[in-house]
Amino acid sequence: MIEKPKIEEILDVIVKKEQISDYLLVVYGPLNQDVLVSTIRLAESKLRLQQFPQGLISKTKAICAEILQNINKHQFKHDTYQPYLVIGSKDHTLFIYAGNIISEKSKAIITEKLENYLSIKEENFKSFYTNAFKNAVLTEDGNAGLGLLEMFYRSNRNFKYNINKLSENLFSFNLNIELSQQLVPQS
Amino acid sequence: MARLEIEATTSTPEIILDPGAKTLQIKGICTPENPRLFFDPLFEAMELFQKNNDRILIEICLDYFNTGSSKCLLNLFYMISNNQQMKQNSEVNWVIEDSDPDIKESGLLFEEITGLKFNYPNNKSLL
């Protein structure tokens, strides 16, 4: 997992530890809604070029939309640490790495959610997801609070994360999602 | 009531509610920063539409959408499914590009939750 979110270190970690053979997309630094849409369009084009199946492309787009939207809504300005999104592949499996800075309050919320998702047995996860979706309430600013759950569900729980302390109230949140072609249901 | 037309942007879909034809079409990308604000005009128009109509054909052709929009779509379907007459007479065409199983799975979830009749046509718009 990534512990030092500077872009050269991020890529170094991915190469050495995760052994990604192909980088498909690297986005680094502050973003807005236009960058979000452009990034997803570029990711789709790269995946089509590499002839990934449609279902995997759709999963990647949906997951990246949640990741980038979270970063866009909750990004902190920081001199050293910047948000990032990296999509790589190895042997027809896609790897999505992303990270951003979060507050102590967000850390508590994210940790509670993710640990809860991880504790749910695989056979119960679909019904948990369905119930959470049915019961979610949109906030005034349009948040459903389902982004992390969506990433978990669409990746079939191939989701790892870590949170590292940067300063008194700031933390880096890093996630790693693996999407294999076996995840794509038959059409 | 008047026809509702919302033009597509880079992050929001085209929406056309045609009371004469009794159809609603939502097409494009759906990642508004605030889905609630974006869908509010549609919800208001649908409330008016339901007062004088007992059926609708909804066609949805979305490239991708965020979870906030997904929740708004569920609320839209609930508006139909909570009215028994509307529910019986209405259908949703959940259009799938390139036989996309992931997009179809999202439609199946809406169908399971709301009990509305969903069709899964490929690629081309039926409206």
Side-chain angles (χ1 to χ4, degrees):
Chain A
M1 297 296 289
I2 297 158
E3 293 172 356
K4 297 178 180 177
K6 291 179 182 176
I7 192 63
E8 62 272 23
E9 292 165 342
I10 291 164
L11 296 176
D12 191 48
V13 167
I14 293 172
V15 168
K16 285 179 181 165
K17 287 190 179 173
E18 313 289 351
Q19 297 181 320
I20 298 300
S21 54
D22 286 318
Y23 289 119
L24 301 174
L25 182 74
V26 178
V27 176
Y28 184 69
L31 56 89
N32 58 17
Q33 189 73 0
D34 286 341
V35 175
L36 183 157
V37 172
S38 303
T39 299
I40 294 171
R41 192 179 300 132
L42 183 57
E44 178 177 17
S45 298
K46 291 286 286 186
L47 296 180
R48 284 200 192 286
L49 189 65
Q50 301 278 336
Q51 299 185 319
F52 279 94
Q54 181 60 39
L56 213 55
I57 294 172
S58 290
K59 276 187 192 298
T60 305
K61 286 158 62 182
I63 288 170
C64 287
E66 295 304 325
I67 290 172
L68 295 169
Q69 197 140 37
N70 275 338
I71 292 174
N72 185 26
K73 284 189 174 180
H74 306 298
Q75 60 192 322
F76 281 85
K77 284 186 178 173
H78 196 280
D79 292 339
T80 311
Y81 296 90
Q82 300 286 338
Y84 65 88
L85 171 75
V86 178
I87 302 176
S89 72
K90 182 188 175 190
D91 300 332
H92 306 293
T93 295
L94 283 175
F95 297 86
I96 301 172
Y97 302 88
N100 61 300
I101 294 174
I102 57 173
S103 66
E104 188 153 24
K105 186 181 171 189
S106 295
K107 172 183 175 275
I109 294 168
I110 288 169
T111 305
E112 185 183 353
K113 281 187 176 182
L114 291 177
E115 291 306 314
N116 184 30
Y117 302 159
L118 285 166
S119 71
I120 296 166
K121 287 182 181 171
E122 189 175 353
E123 60 267 31
N124 298 331
F125 203 76
K126 172 74 190 297
S127 62
F128 175 84
Y129 172 82
T130 305
N131 284 328
F133 180 45
K134 280 158 65 174
N135 298 326
V137 177
L138 277 176
T139 62
E140 280 299 318
D141 53 358
N143 286 324
L146 295 169
L148 288 169
L149 180 60
E150 188 72 11
M151 293 178 220
F152 247 74
Y153 180 70
R154 289 198 186 255
S155 67
N156 200 26
R157 312 201 314 160
N158 287 313
F159 184 111
K160 296 174 189 165
Y161 78 101
N162 67 20
I163 296 176
N164 301 305
K165 190 167 187 170
L166 298 177
S167 62
E168 191 58 36
N169 296 311
L170 292 180
F171 298 81
S172 69
F173 171 53
N174 306 285
L175 62 83
N176 172 3
I177 292 171
E178 188 176 321
L179 297 173
S180 70
Q181 297 203 19
Q182 283 76 31
L183 287 177
V184 180
Q186 296 302 305
S187 57
Chain B
M1 69 175 283
R3 177 183 162 101
L4 173 73
E5 282 197 45
I6 300 172
E7 283 187 17
T9 70
T10 51
S11 60
T12 58
E14 176 188 59
I15 294 182
I16 300 174
L17 173 61
D18 185 340
K22 299 183 193 301
T23 57
L24 167 65
Q25 196 168 21
I26 303 177
K27 189 176 181 182
I29 290 167
C30 198
T31 57
E33 286 191 75
N34 188 336
R36 192 174 183 147
L37 277 183
F38 174 73
F39 277 97
D40 264 353
L42 174 61
F43 289 139
E44 286 171 17
M46 281 297 293
E47 276 187 25
L48 272 178
F49 177 83
Q50 280 192 301
K51 286 181 180 169
N52 299 309
N53 294 278
D54 64 359
R55 69 180 168 88
I56 189 167
L57 175 61
I58 300 176
E59 182 172 279
I60 296 186
C61 183
L62 290 176
D63 188 16
Y64 60 91
F65 45 92
N66 58 14
T67 47
S69 299
S70 189
K71 187 66 193 179
C72 288
L73 288 174
L74 181 62
N75 291 341
L76 171 71
F77 296 139
Y78 275 148
M79 289 180 86
I80 311 297
S81 66
N82 288 339
N83 177 328
Q84 275 308 312
Q85 192 77 24
M86 277 288 250
K87 184 178 181 180
Q88 281 179 357
N89 299 335
S90 300
E91 292 186 18
V92 179
N93 288 330
W94 186 264
V95 181
I96 301 162
E97 296 280 344
D98 303 323
S99 304
D100 188 330
D102 208 57
I103 293 289
K104 184 173 182 179
E105 194 182 354
S106 299
L108 289 168
L109 183 66
F110 287 123
E111 181 180 3
E112 178 189 327
I113 293 173
T114 62
L116 286 172
K117 179 172 170 42
F118 271 62
N119 309 302
Y120 298 94
N122 256 309
N123 284 341
K124 59 186 178 187
S125 168
L126 301 179
L127 294 180

